[in-house]
Amino acid sequence: MKHVRSLRRTSGPEVEPVSVADAKLHLRVDSETDDTYIAGLISAAREWCEVYTDRTFIHTQYAITMDTFPWEIELPRPPVAVAAGYTATAVAYVRETGGTATLPTSEYRVDRNAEPGVIRTVYAGTWPSHLIDRNSITVTWWAGYGEDGTKVPRVVKSAILMLVGFWYERRLAADQAAANEVPFGVQALLDSIKWGSYR
């Protein structure tokens, strides 16, 4: 049974793992004419790579909603952020009598070493009683390797650059010269860190 009803991005990322300058160097482009276009390709490539690997590269805040508390709450799109300023988590729920309450952080623990990260009650603790209804529980947290691209794995940045180069050279949705939608090399690089599926 799936406990997670939805996953949505609520904040970030504010930068990309690779810069426009990095991409232009990779593309061997000197002019500034296509800078905006290349920046858009970088964002699209990062999003594609995140979906493919089921990971988060740059600090991003997520929220999930659930109908009821599971034994433990898995936090999709690892890794859970560990940098100062990005460790905040929140568990909010609807009381049985109505109204929303936020569970004190002293009543649960966050396992940031697990992949994906996990929220559990304190030892011998229990989740609070709540209204059993759709989306009655909301959990928010931060994920990502860092606030910039310095801690993003090299294979990720290489894959993003390769994908940007592929799309830059082939701007049509259908291109006879491009038999594959995504170059095999991109997938081969990302497969080394691809997470997979969650329970």
Side-chain angles (χ1 to χ4, degrees):
M1 173 182 176
K2 278 187 173 295
H3 295 283
V4 176
R5 179 166 297 282
S6 65
L7 170 66
R8 61 187 183 277
R9 191 189 306 264
T10 59
S11 180
E14 296 183 357
V15 299
E16 297 294 344
V18 300
S19 66
V20 171
D22 293 333
K24 289 173 67 174
L25 183 63
H26 176 77
L27 297 170
R28 298 183 180 180
V29 171
D30 296 325
S31 71
E32 299 179 354
T33 305
D34 285 346
D35 281 11
T36 300
Y37 179 67
I38 292 171
L41 291 180
I42 292 172
S43 296
R46 186 258 308 156
E47 291 175 3
W48 190 95
C49 292
E50 285 184 326
V51 171
Y52 185 81
T53 60
D54 216 3
R55 287 183 176 275
T56 303
F57 305 144
I58 302 294
H59 283 156
T60 300
Q61 188 177 52
Y62 291 104
I64 54 175
T65 54
M66 298 171 285
D67 302 342
T68 185
F69 280 109
W71 178 66
E72 60 181 23
I73 302 171
E74 288 187 344
L75 304 176
R77 294 292 180 90
V80 175
V82 297
Y86 295 93
T87 59
T89 58
V91 179
Y93 61 96
V94 180
R95 298 187 182 95
E96 291 179 308
T97 56
T100 303
T102 299
L103 189 66
T105 56
S106 59
E107 295 187 19
Y108 63 87
R109 49 206 166 99
V110 182
D111 185 349
R112 301 180 186 277
N113 295 317
E115 284 203 355
V118 178
I119 294 179
R120 304 182 180 95
T121 62
V122 294
Y123 293 103
T126 59
W127 295 115
S129 299
H130 63 91
L131 183 68
I132 306 299
D133 195 9
R134 290 179 181 272
N135 305 319
S136 62
I137 298 165
T138 301
V139 180
T140 60
W141 75 100
W142 287 89
Y145 291 98
E147 60 185 348
D148 55 37
T150 56
K151 295 184 178 180
V152 175
R154 183 68 244 183
V155 293
V156 169
K157 291 190 275 192
S158 295
I160 289 174
L161 290 173
M162 290 175 64
L163 197 52
V164 168
F166 183 74
W167 287 340
Y168 185 79
E169 294 297 327
R170 297 172 173 83
R171 304 190 184 195
L172 300 177
D175 186 344
Q176 187 175 1
N180 298 319
E181 294 182 2
V182 175
F184 172 77
V186 171
Q187 294 175 319
L189 284 171
L190 296 177
D191 281 344
S192 65
I193 66 164
K194 187 176 181 180
W195 172 247
S197 59
Y198 301 107
R199 292 197 298 270

